[in-house]
């Protein structure tokens, strides 16, 4: 028997309308490239989003599900697009500006973006992509006279001011975000209004991000990366002020002090770098209450430094583009308050517990499927996930058991433990994904490319610890013939054609033979051991 | 275009499973009738819920949507039923033990409850209802030898220990709760798994109830009233400890001190009564951080006393059985922190802002529908509501425009203002509903009954302010013939047949004629004015 409740679809238009009606005076502040601020309130944003909705429609984005690309950093225009595109029934497709033009060209072709909105700051670097794609409609933010394409502000000024949101079904696609690509090829994840609405409610639980109306939220995570962890939606549903640094601030501590940031979110690399600046305490950063840290694990010593010396709570969040992206959140339990400091940091160094709505399981692959492993903090298995905001398949790719189990779970590719309290800890990566500065680098993709070089016989790429970036790729190669001169520059040149700069290994080590596992695959653990345990000077 | 996310239904089984997996050690403590405690953890509860699921199935509750009644106070068994019944696909139907046997008999007949679970404490009073209904399957908690029916613990011990939850569709009905009845007849609201899941996520937003894993939550609101404001689900999804007073504690302050309650929820009458006890501060009640107050408005002076003298935050919540029940929540905005105390209490005395997911509008009825009124804190109109957890119609009643607008909004029957910040304040009641001790009394129902008395010609029942109960009914009657002796006892006796004791007006005032409005209806405002403005000694 069905219940008798309203048939009320869960859509992003509800979030926008709520923000507008209830929190119209809350502010969105963007740090511009010239280090000045642009600031306006939700009401002004709302009015521009309505105009933008009409403008995008005028550009021919009229079919539900039409894809619209963005090539932009964290700015108020990007935030406007985060709402206007989905709320007309189209699909927001943020392009990761850190990928190469070759990678992005493939993605844009696959996504068939009808329009691409380009941030003025990126116009130069966008040109290389533009030459490779057929998308004829390019709209520039803050364009100057040398830029081609249509000007954003002109579009808005010419557009009708009122728009009625046009989403008829909560299962309509609202966003398309490509992964960094664990197998060398980024894959598209197609979110629904329903999944993003639910993700928003879930992360705003008091025990998760816990954003409130009194917060000032600063996402340092780029809006082209995993939907900026859902913060553009979560912040506005909560009615928080938002600070968007479109560029690296001259001084992050100054920015926090000036704007009164209470919650900031980003990868550990950023927090490691800014710690000395913040610890000088020349500025009043007492408003800052919490850092949400994701992308990779923050070292326990840094967690301790933030919590003890700066009084800033550090919370790990773990997730994937495939998960909208939040899966777990690490906060101490009430009973943990009695632990010693050392024990506390050990708990906090884990990736945390599944947030309400997310199911985790640890699986061991067997000849006929998977067996479930216990949550005892010791059993190590593949982490699998299920939730209302997890992808069931990739865009334009038939689902395979490599990524999705036959009983409906996502295979994360991470190897983890889970303790009795539900705290999950990543211990390894099934796919040898290297995490550098919060971005993923695929060792498999680099290996595949290296093997195309005429002099390379065997290749293995591993991630080695790096103080600044968390991890950096190190390439180990066996050559097809003896070469006496250093082949590093040659190989770097070779990889640069295909991959972005940050993917290129810092060091290349030549060996006679790559160590193999029993099934003849590269033995990454053994290779890593060669460098880690011997303190090999070849380490970057 | 549809997105590519998991088809993952929102069900209460997800809440139960999450609570069990992540928060198994958290505790549920029940204050028993003999003032001792029963206490166990979520894991123990989970195991009993599984057995209970099998036991209920064994009793013949096998069709999705079969209704199962409960006639019980706030106890761990009732909490077990809150999960077991919906999670087998059946419908939890809590019976309001404060209604009369006549009212409940009609409700049970309409709901066709297949089984009714009866609290040992209520066995005596249940007998009167039992005689009037056909439900043959009665299960008693804590029965003693004089009780008929099946014993709960025996059922559990004989049941199979494992159960696989059986909900195939998030739109399946999960609960049936009757209103107090604004028109004299309580009406059933049929919740879905989806609506209750979403309500749970919404109230656990950091800016709404904001329950966390570190909380100890005590619902004083009865579990037979408006789904106990959703707290049985919200508390366990958050992983909070729960304290259930099945009876009035000898000393509420002792109970709070002993169990470390951090958040409690109930009607203002309770908090008014307990304030002197708490303010003596013999006990350490420092854990108590927030009271969630609903059912009626708390007087600003009492809000001030709690906040200033006890350091306990008071938050008004407003809602209706039809809304699962939460619609608004009153918390100061960040910018309100700069207000004077007096101004703060004035904001807090309002019913609050719509919670994320809820839409409000103020409407004025016109000849051809409604017009929307502005949110300026002055315009007074009928409050209308829409949300994913609002009823679209009543159980077993064809929807009428009296309750639902043709464009899909619920007509709350409340008259309100909304200010520019979205704070809603109830100023009057369209349906002359009298709120006494958190319960509703229908003046219309009492009037209809009074008119059946042979001596009564006209009757009007109004609510007059009452220090203890908030409001109490006062009956004004015009007699069909002159009667010199006091008719009050006669009329009380007459009403007692049909209504519970607390519905019976404390005073009866005989007038020559009831004041009428221009369309010939009783002029309630004028009648109220007669008693309020003249300081009439007939006031209770």
């Amino acid at each position: 028997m069905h219940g008798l409740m309203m048939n009320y679809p869960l859509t992003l238009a509800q979030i926008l309308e709520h923000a507008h009606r209830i929190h119209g005076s809350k502010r969105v502040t963007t740090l511009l490239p010239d280090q000045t601020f642009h600031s306006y309130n939700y009401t002004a944003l709302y009015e521009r989003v309505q105009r933008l909705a009409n403008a995008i429609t005028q550009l021919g984005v009229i079919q539900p599900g039409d894809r619209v690309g963005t090539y932009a950093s964290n700015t108020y225009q990007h935030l406007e697009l985060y709402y206007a595109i989905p709320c007309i029934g189209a699909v927001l497709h943020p392009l990761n500006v850190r990928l190469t033009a070759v990678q992005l060209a493939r993605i844009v072709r696959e996504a068939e973006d009808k329009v691409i909105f380009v941030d003025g700051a990126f116009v130069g670097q966008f040109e290389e992509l533009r030459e490779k794609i057929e998308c004829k409609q390019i709209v520039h933010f803050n364009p100057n006279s040398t830029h081609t394409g249509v000007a954003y502000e002109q579009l808005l000024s010419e557009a009708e001011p009122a728009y009625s949101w046009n989403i008829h079904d909560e299962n309509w696609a609202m966003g398309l975000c490509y992964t960094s690509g664990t197998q060398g090829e980024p894959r598209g994840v197609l979110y629904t209004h329903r999944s993003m609405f639910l993700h928003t409610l879930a992360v705003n639980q008091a025990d998760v991000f816990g954003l409130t109306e009194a917060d000032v939220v600063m996402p340092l995570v780029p809006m082209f990366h995993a939907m900026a962890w859902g913060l553009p939606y979560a912040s506005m549903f909560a009615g928080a002020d938002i600070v968007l640094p479109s560029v690296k601030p001259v001084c992050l501590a100054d920015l926090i002090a000036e704007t009164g940031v209470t919650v900031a979110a980003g990868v550990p690399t950023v927090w490691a770098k800014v710690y000395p600046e913040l610890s000088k305490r020349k500025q009043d950063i007492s408003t800052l209450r919490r850092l949400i840290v994701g992308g990779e694990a923050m070292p326990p010593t840094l967690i301790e430094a933030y919590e003890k010396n700066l009084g800033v709570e550090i919370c790990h969040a773990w997730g994937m583009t495939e998960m909208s992206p939040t899966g777990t959140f690490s906060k101490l339990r009430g009973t943990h308050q009695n632990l010693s400091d050392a024990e506390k940091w050990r708990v906090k160094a884990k990736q945390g517990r599944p947030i309400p709505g997310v199911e985790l399981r640890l699986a061991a692959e067997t000849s006929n499927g998977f067996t479930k492993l216990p949550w005892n903090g010791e059993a190590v298995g593949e982490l699998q996930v299920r939730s209302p905001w997890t992808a069931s398949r990739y865009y334009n790719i038939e689902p395979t058991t490599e990524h999705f189990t036959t009983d409906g779970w996502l295979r994360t590719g991470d190897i983890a433990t889970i303790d009795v309290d539900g705290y999950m800890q990543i211990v390894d990566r099934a796919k040898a994904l290297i995490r550098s500065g919060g971005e993923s680098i695929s060792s498999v993709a680099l290996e595949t490319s290296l093997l195309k070089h005429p002099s390379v016989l065997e290749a293995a790429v591993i991630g080695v610890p790096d103080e600044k970036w968390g991890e950096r790729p190190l390439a180990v190669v066996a050559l097809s013939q003896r070469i006496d001169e250093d082949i590093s520059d040659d190989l770097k040149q070779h990889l640069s054609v295909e991959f972005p700069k940050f993917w290129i290994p810092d060091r290349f080590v030549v060996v006679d033979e790559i160590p193999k596992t029993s099934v003849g695959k590269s033995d990454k653990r053994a290779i890593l051991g060669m460098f880690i345990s011997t303190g090999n000077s070849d380490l970057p």
Side-chain angles (χ1 to χ4, degrees), chain A:
Chain A
M1 182 170 66
H2 279 198
L4 302 172
M5 305 306 279
M6 288 181 178
N7 180 8
Y8 191 102
L10 310 175
T11 74
L12 299 184
Q14 301 305 333
I15 296 180
L16 177 63
E17 285 291 329
H18 184 85
H20 160 59
R21 280 192 310 264
I22 313 300
H23 303 291
S25 63
K26 302 316 292 285
R27 299 197 75 78
V28 177
T29 301
T30 304
L31 179 72
L32 301 173
D34 65 0
Q35 300 285 324
T36 63
F37 291 112
H38 172 279
S39 186
Y40 63 4
N41 65 21
Y42 281 15
T43 298
L45 174 139
Y46 179 81
E47 285 165 3
R48 284 167 58 90
V49 169
Q50 288 200 89
R51 286 180 175 274
L52 185 53
N54 283 313
I56 300 170
T57 309
Q58 285 289 313
L59 292 173
V61 178
I62 44 176
Q63 293 300 321
D66 276 352
R67 272 76 65 205
V68 177
T70 61
Y71 189 90
S73 66
N74 294 9
T75 73
Y76 61 98
Q77 300 100 329
H78 208 171
L79 187 61
E80 290 161 4
L81 291 160
Y82 255 66
Y83 284 95
I85 297 169
C87 290
I88 66 168
V91 176
L92 167 72
H93 176 209
L95 296 164
N96 185 339
V97 304
R98 291 185 191 152
L99 296 180
T100 63
V102 173
Q103 288 174 312
L104 281 177
R106 182 190 71 75
I107 288 170
V108 171
R109 275 195 298 273
E110 181 173 278
E112 301 175 276
D113 296 315
K114 287 191 101 170
V115 184
I116 298 177
F117 286 84
V118 181
D119 194 330
F122 294 136
V123 167
Q125 100 176 52
F126 180 74
E127 281 310 303
E128 195 186 345
L129 170 60
R130 183 171 194 160
E131 288 165 8
K132 294 181 167 59
I133 56 175
E134 281 167 26
C135 179
K136 290 286 179 288
Q137 300 201 81
I138 309 294
V139 181
H140 290 135
F141 312 156
N142 312 318
N144 60 40
S145 57
T146 65
H147 300 150
T148 54
V150 183
Y152 188 85
E153 294 301 329
Q154 191 182 333
L155 270 187
L156 287 196
S157 66
E158 290 169 359
E160 289 292 320
Y163 188 93
S164 291
W165 312 121
N166 186 30
I167 311 149
H168 300 146
D169 182 337
E170 66 184 31
N171 290 309
W172 274 13
M174 65 65 48
L176 176 65
C177 193
Y178 276 73
T179 63
S180 305
T182 57
Q183 299 298 312
E185 286 298 320
R187 289 184 297 274
V189 178
L190 195 63
Y191 310 106
T192 62
H193 280 270
R194 171 186 164 103
S195 67
M196 196 53 76
F197 185 98
L198 290 169
H199 179 268
T200 304
L201 278 185
V203 299
N204 274 348
Q205 301 287 286
D207 253 349
V208 189
F209 294 176
L211 304 181
T212 72
E213 181 270 347
D215 276 315
V216 180
V217 179
M218 179 170 67
L220 289 179
V221 51
M223 290 171 76
F224 53 75
H225 182 87
M227 305 304 280
W229 302 352
L231 290 168
Y233 303 120
S235 302
M236 285 188 63
F237 216 8
D241 282 343
I242 302 175
V243 175
L244 298 172
S246 80
V247 288
K248 198 175 159 320
V250 170
C251 171
L252 191 58
D254 278 344
L255 181 60
I256 291 168
E258 280 173 47
T259 56
V261 169
T262 61
V263 176
V267 295
T269 312
V270 174
W271 307 125
K273 209 169 159 190
V274 80
Y275 176 76
E277 201 177 271
L278 291 176
S279 64
K280 281 182 214 149
R281 281 184 177 276
K282 278 185 203 156
Q283 306 84 354
D284 176 12
I285 56 153
S286 60
T287 55
L288 191 62
R289 66 177 179 93
R290 174 180 282 180
L291 299 183
I292 301 170
V293 179
E296 57 193 303
M298 185 183 257
T301 49
L302 191 57
I303 296 178
E304 182 177 354
Y306 267 98
E307 299 221 341
K308 283 178 81 167
N309 303 341
L310 298 183
V312 177
E313 186 189 22
I314 301 289
C315 293
H316 270 150
W318 169 87
M320 299 171 72
T321 302
E322 291 87 337
M323 296 169 66
S324 300
T326 315
T328 66
F329 192 73
S330 197
K331 227 185 113 175
L332 293 182
R333 290 183 57 182
T335 51
H336 286 146
Q337 300 303 337
N338 303 323
L339 294 180
S340 70
D341 277 3
E343 287 170 315
K344 279 186 193 171
W345 317 133
R346 198 155 54 230
V347 175
K348 298 210 75 160
K350 298 188 176 188
Q351 276 64 49
R353 306 208 277 184
I355 67 173
V358 169
E359 284 183 80
L360 303 182
R361 72 178 182 190
L362 280 185
E365 202 158 3
T366 64
S367 53
N368 53 355
F370 294 98
T371 50
K372 260 176 82 173
L373 297 176
W375 289 19
N376 56 17
E378 291 179 1
V380 171
E382 180 182 294
L383 186 63
Q384 301 183 346
V385 175
R386 202 161 66 163
S387 84
W389 47 89
T390 300
S392 62
R393 51 176 294 180
Y394 293 104
Y395 181 69
N396 215 26
I397 303 174
E398 283 302 314
T400 68
T401 53
E402 188 189 347
H403 301 299
F404 301 95
T405 69
T406 50
D407 61 344
W409 293 67
L410 170 73
R411 301 182 64 181
T412 66
D414 280 323
I415 303 298
T417 62
I418 305 179
D419 70 18
V420 284
D421 291 324
Y423 284 82
M424 184 274 288
Q425 187 160 30
I426 306 281
V427 295
D428 204 349
R429 291 181 195 95
K431 310 289 179 184
L433 190 67
I434 297 160
R435 303 289 290 176
S436 181
E439 294 285 343
S440 296
I441 298 172
S442 167
S443 58
V444 177
L446 290 169
E447 286 158 10
T448 306
S449 179
L450 284 170
L451 289 171
K452 293 177 190 163
H453 188 278
S455 304
V456 174
L457 184 64
E458 295 178 339
V461 176
I462 57 169
V464 291
D466 181 84
E467 215 168 82
K468 184 170 172 197
W469 299 107
E471 245 184 356
R472 290 295 302 150
L474 166 75
V476 182
V477 290
L479 301 181
S480 52
Q481 61 194 79
R482 187 177 174 86
I483 299 177
D484 284 316
E485 65 268 36
D486 186 356
I487 197 172
S488 296
D489 285 345
D490 189 6
L491 294 176
K492 282 185 185 177
Q493 181 60 35
H494 171 80
L495 292 173
S496 300
V497 178
E498 209 172 333
F499 302 105
K501 193 156 173 289
F502 76 93
W503 277 46
I504 312 302
D506 299 303
R507 294 287 172 93
F508 293 79
V509 180
V510 177
V511 295
D512 290 336
E513 193 186 344
I514 301 278
K516 307 285 192 316
T517 65
S518 58
V519 292
K521 292 184 180 171
S522 295
D523 188 347
K524 296 274 175 91
R525 282 179 172 281
I527 300 167
L528 192 61
M530 287 164 55
F531 294 96
I532 299 289
S533 61
T534 62
N536 191 298
S537 60
D538 273 324
L539 268 181

